[in-house]
Amino acid sequence: TAQTSLTFSGLTGDSQLHYVLMGKIVAGGNDSSTLIFNGVSSNVYDYRVTGPNDGSSNNVYTGSAQTFIQIGISTGDGAIDTFRLMIPATSGANRQTLGQYLRGGASGNGISQVYNCAGVWRNSANAITSMTLGYASQTSGFKVGTDISLYALT
């Protein structure tokens, strides 16, 4: 069944070097895919998404003191998007994320646009214990066929 959010929990951030979060999203609507850490949804995130790098235009989406890190923008209901995100795991510094997001278009037909995405979780004290992917405003969530994996690099 479709899910409004996807959470990876039981993480041990200080015993890992990096996390790699990647996968395929079957979108439930036209909206921004988001990431939060440890269930924290207060204004402690910054992000910058640039693209689409398709030769026609280059947009910049930024947010400062937001309630999430934006990692991509779906083209609409049923769109199949792919992303990859690197995340430093250990505490002691604010966590900076870096990745790419491919907007696949309706039913994944072709490559619509490619975006670069970066973010910061302004918390240096706490280890990462969970990550939650969601959407900024739409409630249809991730449709059946979404496949997201989290890898820990030691």
Side-chain angles (χ1 to χ4, degrees):
T1 62
Q3 301 291 317
T4 55
S5 65
L6 302 168
T7 299
F8 292 91
S9 59
L11 306 178
T12 56
D14 279 345
S15 63
Q16 311 299 327
L17 290 177
H18 288 84
Y19 289 113
V20 177
L21 186 63
M22 59 192 297
K24 174 184 79 172
I25 294 173
V26 181
N30 187 10
D31 196 7
S32 300
S33 299
T34 64
L35 174 68
I36 65 170
F37 297 104
N38 297 359
V40 176
S41 58
S42 57
N43 300 74
V44 293
Y45 302 98
D46 303 324
Y47 63 81
R48 183 178 184 92
V49 178
T50 62
N53 304 324
D54 62 2
S56 63
S57 64
N58 193 30
N59 298 311
V60 178
Y61 306 92
T62 61
S64 179
Q66 298 296 305
T67 58
F68 56 80
I69 293 173
Q70 180 177 323
I71 59 171
I73 306 163
S74 174
T75 55
D77 188 20
I80 298 177
D81 304 323
T82 305
F83 76 97
R84 177 184 61 218
L85 200 62
M86 290 286 297
I87 306 159
T90 56
S91 59
N94 291 338
R95 263 45 65 87
Q96 298 176 327
T97 65
L98 180 63
Q100 292 179 308
Y101 191 93
L102 176 128
R103 289 172 77 172
S107 302
N109 295 328
I111 298 172
S112 175
Q113 297 168 326
V114 177
Y115 288 81
N116 294 311
C117 51
V120 175
W121 178 34
R122 289 185 275 116
N123 178 324
S124 61
N126 299 101
I128 294 174
T129 58
S130 70
M131 295 183 204
T132 301
L133 287 164
Y135 281 103
S137 59
Q138 66 99 347
T139 57
S140 298
F142 301 97
K143 291 185 121 178
V144 172
T146 295
D147 183 14
I148 297 174
S149 299
L150 177 66
Y151 299 93
L153 306 177
T154 56

